């Protein structure tokens, strides 16, 4: 499993990337030449990334993963909001979304690979932005819903 899992995960990632690019650029994938046209540049990018310092790559990955979680939580909150008549509690996702917003924004302002500001600036700015996101959410939920 130690050998097979990374290989299959990488294979799946490259295949998914190829299919996404094929869909974006409307490239038919029935012929091998068309597949290679997308695979070779992708593998070149993979070879380049494979030689980078993984500590840096991992920091970017972890930040984007947390930011994705933040976006999904805000999206789920907006999805749950219209169903308050059905007793769906949208705060169960809005509270963690606010926390994740503070974490993601603070990291963005503090990390060396992003803006690299001091923690004296990054922490308050992250918290203020999280509060602003919560304010935007509350404002959006106060508007009358379109039928």
């Amino acid at each position: 499993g130690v050998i097979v899992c990374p290989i299959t995960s990488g294979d799946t990632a490259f295949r998914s990337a190829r299919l996404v690019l094929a869909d974006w650029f409307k490239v038919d994938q029935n012929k091998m030449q068309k597949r290679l046209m997308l695979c070779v540049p992708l593998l070149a990018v993979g070879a380049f990334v494979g030689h980078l310092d993984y500590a840096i790559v991992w920091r970017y990955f972890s930040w984007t993963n947390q930011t994705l979680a933040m976006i999904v939580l805000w999206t789920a909150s907006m999805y749950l909001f219209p169903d308050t008549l059905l007793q769906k509690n949208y705060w169960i996702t809005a509270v963690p979304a606010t926390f994740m917003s503070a974490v993601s924004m603070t990291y963005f302002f503090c990390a060396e690979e992003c803006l690299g500001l001091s923690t004296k600036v990054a922490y308050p700015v992250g918290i203020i932005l999280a509060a602003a996101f919560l304010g935007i959410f509350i404002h959006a939920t106060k508007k009358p819903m379109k039928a």
Side-chain angles (χ1 to χ4, degrees):
V2 173
I3 296 169
V4 172
C5 288
I7 292 170
T8 60
S9 296
D11 175 56
T12 302
F14 279 113
R15 186 180 315 112
S16 297
R18 176 179 58 85
L19 292 172
V20 166
L21 289 173
D23 190 43
W24 278 356
F25 296 115
K26 309 278 189 265
V27 178
D28 181 38
Q29 294 292 287
N30 289 332
K31 294 184 179 183
M32 182 64 73
Q33 292 170 332
K34 300 276 184 151
R35 289 185 200 168
L36 288 173
M37 184 177 72
L38 294 174
C39 284
V40 171
L42 278 174
L43 291 174
V45 170
F48 173 75
V49 170
H51 289 88
L52 293 177
D53 180 10
Y54 273 94
I56 294 170
V57 173
W58 185 249
R59 288 192 303 235
Y60 279 113
F61 172 77
S62 62
W63 177 74
T64 55
N65 196 34
Q66 297 299 318
T67 303
L68 177 62
M70 171 192 78
I71 292 167
V72 168
L73 284 165
W74 283 122
T75 303
S77 300
M78 287 306 293
Y79 172 77
L80 291 172
F81 171 73
D83 288 332
T84 52
L85 297 175
L86 300 174
Q87 303 301 315
K88 290 189 178 177
N89 187 0
Y90 55 88
W91 289 108
I92 200 148
T93 53
V95 171
T98 305
F99 175 76
M100 290 304 300
S101 297
V103 170
S104 292
M105 294 299 100
T106 299
Y107 184 84
F108 179 76
F109 285 98
C110 187
E112 294 174 18
E113 61 271 8
C114 296
L115 297 182
L117 301 175
S118 73
T119 55
K120 290 180 181 178
V121 174
Y123 285 177
V125 170
I127 292 169
I128 289 168
L129 283 173
F133 293 164
L134 179 61
I136 291 167
F137 172 75
I138 291 170
H139 177 72
T141 59
K142 297 300 177 200
K143 289 182 179 180
M145 298 301 289
K146 295 180 181 177

